[in-house]
Amino acid sequence: MTESNANVSLKPEPRPEVPDLTMPFWDAAKRHELIVPRCTPCNAFFWYPREACPTCLRSDSWDWAKVSGNARLHTFTIVRQPLHPGFQEEVPYAFAVVQLDEGVRMMSNIVDCDVIEDIQIDMKLEVKFDDISDEWTLVKFKPA
Amino acid sequence: MSLRGKAAIVGFYEIPTQKEYPDRTTFGVMAEVARGAIKDAGLRKEDIDGLINGEGVNSITVAEALGIQPDYTASMTTHGSSGATSIATAAAVIAAGLANYVLCVFGEARPRSSSRMVGQAQAKGMLPPASRATEWELPYGPVIAMNGWYGLIKQRHMFEYGTTQEQFAKLVVDQRFNAAANENAVWYGQPVTEEDVLNSRFTNDPLHLLESVMPCSGAHAVIVTSAERARSLPNDPAYILGVGGPATTHDVIWQKDDITTTPVVSSAPTALNMAEISINDVDMAQFYDCYSILTMACLEDAGVSKKGEIGPFYESTDTTYKGDFPINTDGGQIGAGQTGGVGGGFRHVVEGTRQVMGRAGLRQASKSDICLVNG
Ligand SMILES: [Zn+2]
């Protein structure tokens, strides 16, 4: 296999825009813990992580909070033509919007099931950590 | 201040939307439609003192390429709605006295393979800059183009409202009927049946290939001026009665609270109120249609049907140019092609103008005094 062919099969690992801001999330995922930003004065979780809370616009008011990992499937689509060729071997798979019981929604995959037969909107999910490399663990979900 | 009746579209021009214009350039096709629209309006290039274009190319670069020295210039950056937004902006600019004749021009000529080069570039390690997407979306394997996001919305609409695949297919059948009568459409002379739509492959379930636009090359332009100036020009003006939006809370779909409700839920009432009309006064609609689901959700939010009832509406309504409530009479983007350079949404402006001016030829609807356009 040539070097360029090897690259084609590589899936993109997460590339944080502001690593100092979001690495606590990825470090927690490596420990198989799910944490999300929670603003204390607003008493609200938010997603995705950003410097300022999208409700009160303060940068010093939020911290990471551990959450249950329980969720519901908000919506999904079955991927047959991935944007990135590294995912081609996995089709069909489920690209999904997942709503955590704590209220925030994130993009993820639904795994450990037959994606054509077993997936329905509103089904209960639980977190499934996927160690894709020594460096990175993705937060995915499976039927609860 | 209301913009009601303060400005009008007085000329338009477009070139056929094609899979590619391999021997043309973006500035070349923009120049062609600019020249055509200026001529159609009965003006000279020297009259143009405002220039608005889409995102991707800076408006100053366009002005330079076209040899125009505008007093006012801007690039619209509201993605697909940039085309309709340009008309709202042009009307406001004219009402404020910042310019007298605004050229709105959208288009692109590019090799058809360019969108695929994104994936190739990623595969070769030539990665785009780190962003929200490279951290929170790309590791989960999104679908090529925008298909995935609209698949997510369609799935949720079917869940919440029971909208059926056949109802989505009806939109495509009606629009392809319209496109079949539009010689500028990429699918000119090629209607489809419900079976064709339902038997086309899933790009990503539950979205069929034929419910999606094809990225194309092409260009469109219009000239906007004041109502007063419009009256001394050769064409019957298409007056801008009301505008609303852009009205959005999110950039990506997973950041939206209610993903089956579109920003039209606030932009349409704003536009209709300014126009001092209700949705029942509207004769036809030219609505953004990158995918069937978006048009249908937007039509609901504009009040064409109750929320969740756009499926039954399509089932019982002929929405072709011959029908009771014509929608996307040029075929829309699904039938006529999605012009690059966010020109896809601008085709709705051009076709709305054509219909209101009574210049749609074979496709002229029986009633076309008031057209609601959504970018
Ligand atoms: Zn806050």
Side-chain angles (χ1 to χ4, degrees):
Chain A
M1 186 183 274
T2 68
E3 193 175 329
S4 63
N5 281 341
N7 283 341
V8 166
S9 66
L10 278 182
K11 293 178 201 161
E13 293 179 333
R15 283 196 297 128
E17 188 176 14
V18 189
D20 285 351
L21 183 70
T22 59
M23 280 315 288
F25 171 86
W26 295 109
D27 290 341
K30 264 175 90 169
R31 301 191 304 268
H32 289 199
E33 282 179 20
L34 179 56
I35 60 173
V36 300
R38 179 185 207 170
C39 181
T40 308
C42 295
N43 194 30
F45 296 92
F46 61 89
W47 188 257
Y48 50 97
R50 66 205 91 168
E51 183 186 333
C53 160
T55 302
C56 66
L57 304 184
R58 285 171 57 175
S59 300
D60 57 358
S61 63
W62 66 268
D63 211 337
W64 296 95
K66 192 174 176 193
V67 293
S68 64
N70 296 326
R72 281 188 189 263
L73 180 56
H74 191 68
T75 189
F76 68 101
T77 190
I78 304 299
V79 182
R80 295 172 188 275
Q81 271 183 301
L83 172 66
H84 192 284
F87 291 93
Q88 194 62 48
E89 288 172 16
E90 304 218 351
V91 299
Y93 59 89
F95 183 65
V97 180
V98 168
Q99 178 159 332
L100 303 186
D101 282 3
E102 290 78 10
V104 295
R105 286 189 201 146
M106 55 179 64
M107 294 309 306
S108 188
N109 300 125
I110 310 304
V111 296
D112 293 355
C113 61
D114 180 334
V115 297
I116 306 294
E117 298 294 330
D118 299 343
I119 299 187
Q120 287 181 338
I121 287 184
D122 216 30
M123 70 192 293
K124 287 187 175 177
L125 304 168
E126 62 185 45
V127 68
K128 166 76 186 282
F129 294 97
D130 184 359
D131 302 311
I132 58 168
S133 68
D134 291 343
E135 297 297 315
W136 298 97
T137 296
L138 294 183
V139 174
K140 298 185 177 178
F141 291 83
K142 63 179 181 180
Chain B
M1 183 184 76
S2 170
L3 291 175
R4 185 177 191 274
K6 294 249 175 23
I9 299 174
V10 291
F12 65 86
Y13 196 80
E14 72 178 8
I15 58 172
T17 308
Q18 301 177 174
K19 289 178 186 173
E20 54 190 6
Y21 275 95
D23 303 325
R24 303 292 304 271
T25 64
T26 292
F27 291 128
V29 293
M30 280 189 179
E32 181 177 354
V33 295
R35 191 176 75 238
I38 292 166
K39 185 176 175 214
D40 185 53
L43 296 168
R44 301 164 305 148
K45 195 177 112 185
E46 293 70 35
D47 297 320
I48 302 301
D49 56 3
L51 172 67
I52 303 180
N53 75 317
E55 57 189 56
V57 186
N58 187 293
S59 64
I60 295 172
T61 315
V62 178
E64 178 189 285
L66 303 188
I68 290 170
Q69 291 87 44
D71 295 327
Y72 177 89
T73 177
S75 300
M76 301 291 105
T77 57
T78 56
H79 306 333
S81 73
S82 297
T85 304
S86 76
I87 301 304
T89 304
V93 162
I94 286 159
L98 301 180
N100 294 325
Y101 298 100
V102 178
L103 165 68
C104 299
V105 58
F106 288 75
E108 188 176 64
R110 60 171 179 180
R112 197 174 167 227
S113 60
S114 62
S115 61
R116 258 175 248 149
M117 286 166 62
V118 177
Q120 288 168 0
Q122 286 178 355
K124 287 176 186 157
M126 296 182 291
L127 298 165
S131 66
R132 178 182 52 191
T134 65
E135 186 167 21
W136 306 118
E137 295 172 1
L138 296 187
Y140 299 101
V143 184
I144 198 165
M146 297 299 284
N147 303 358
W149 310 114
Y150 289 93
L152 294 170
I153 300 175
K154 181 177 175 182
Q155 188 92 267
R156 186 77 195 176
H157 200 280
M158 294 172 81
F159 171 79
E160 289 180 1
Y161 302 114
T163 319
T164 67
Q165 292 284 13
E166 289 75 15
Q167 292 165 342
F168 286 103
K170 172 65 162 41
L171 175 147
V172 180
V173 171
D174 282 3
Q175 290 194 196
R176 289 290 293 267
F177 177 89
N178 292 341
N182 175 7
E183 55 193 17
N184 283 347
V186 72
W187 297 120
Y188 174 51
Q190 297 174 72
V192 296
T193 64
E194 180 185 293
E195 291 68 37
D196 292 334
V197 179
L198 298 179
N199 291 335
S200 67
R201 67 178 167 83
F202 284 127
T203 55
N204 49 292
D205 324 16
L207 195 66
H208 295 95
L209 179 67
L210 290 186
E211 297 176 81
S212 313
V213 286
M214 176 156 62
C216 288
S217 292
H220 324 259
V222 306
I223 308 292
V224 186
T225 190
S226 66
E228 194 177 19
R229 286 187 168 83
R231 282 190 274 277
S232 62
L233 293 172
N235 288 325
D236 263 349
Y239 291 100
I240 298 154
L241 298 182
V243 301
T248 190
T249 57
H250 66 287
D251 188 32
V252 287
I253 282 153
W254 51 276
Q255 283 289 301
K256 180 113 171 66
D257 286 339
D258 177 355
I259 65 168
T260 56
T261 296
T262 70
V264 173
V265 77
S266 65
S267 62
T270 302
L272 292 169
N273 287 342
M274 190 183 293
E276 299 172 16
I277 59 173
S278 87
I279 188 68
N280 299 321
D281 300 317
V282 171
D283 298 319
M284 60 164 47
Q286 312 291 343
F287 264 46
Y288 196 83
D289 63 327
C290 49
Y291 300 89
S292 56
I293 173 60
L294 182 68
T295 311
M296 290 169 74
C298 289
L299 287 164
E300 290 176 338
D301 294 337
V304 171
S305 80
K306 287 185 182 153
K307 191 67 196 172
E309 295 182 10
I310 196 66
F313 171 89
Y314 263 95
E315 232 169 43
S316 61
T317 309
D318 179 356
T319 72
T320 70
Y321 60 83
K322 295 180 169 178
D324 302 326
F325 191 80
I327 298 170
N328 292 345
T329 45
D330 65 342
Q333 300 179 67
I334 287 174
Q338 181 171 53
T339 311
V342 294
F346 199 67
R347 81 158 49 261
H348 305 298
V349 171
V350 171
E351 177 68 4
T353 302
R354 198 184 266 126
Q355 290 281 348
V356 169
M357 286 183 172
R359 295 167 61 191
L362 173 66
R363 301 192 314 280
Q364 187 65 49
S366 59
K367 240 177 139 264
S368 62
D369 290 336
I370 297 185
C371 177
L372 188 61
V373 177
N374 179 48

